[in-house]
Every structure is written in C-alpha cells, then in structure tokens.
Amino acid sequence: MDIASLKDFINHANYICVDSNGILSAHKNLREIASYYNINHSTISKALKGETIAHCKSKTQGNIVIRRLSNNYTSD
C-alpha cells in the first residue's frame, strides 16, 4: 500500500484490536471486527456498551481486546 492509502485507512479506523499473540489490527466498524476474528458483532457491541475498552473471546483466535477510538476525521 502507498502512504496515502495507509493514511486514509487509519484515518477511517474507529476501532483497534489486539489478540492474545499481541497482533494489532484496525477496523472501521464492528461487523468488520466480527468477520476478522470470527465473533458475533452483537457480542462485541454488548461488551463495548458504555465502555471504551472491552474484551471478547474469539472462536478461533483466543481473547481479543477492542478499543473504540475517538475519530475526529471529517471528509472535505
């Protein structure tokens, strides 16, 4: 990926996740996280309700910690 694409990707990220192996990932929405980690998106939503940081158990990748970002990105 070129630098502009990387900047655009991270600008649009609303969540960051880390798995039990210490691997970080960035995601735009809960459904994207759910698909990536094989977790039901409603489980993630319930875990994050009123919280900035939550954890869920992935069916395939163990424990996942999710942090909601305060994204101030505005498109011009």
Side-chain angles (χ1 to χ4, degrees), residues 2-44:
D2 61 80
I3 298 297
S5 296
L6 291 170
K7 284 182 177 181
D8 187 55
F9 172 77
I10 204 69
N11 250 346
H12 287 91
N14 294 309
Y15 301 90
I16 55 170
C17 303
V18 63
D19 66 19
S20 55
N21 294 319
I23 300 191
L24 291 166
S25 59
H27 304 275
K28 290 182 183 180
N29 55 51
L30 297 182
R31 288 187 186 271
E32 192 176 289
I33 297 169
S35 175
Y36 187 84
Y37 288 109
N38 197 16
I39 304 171
N40 190 304
H41 73 275
S42 63
T43 301
I44 300 167

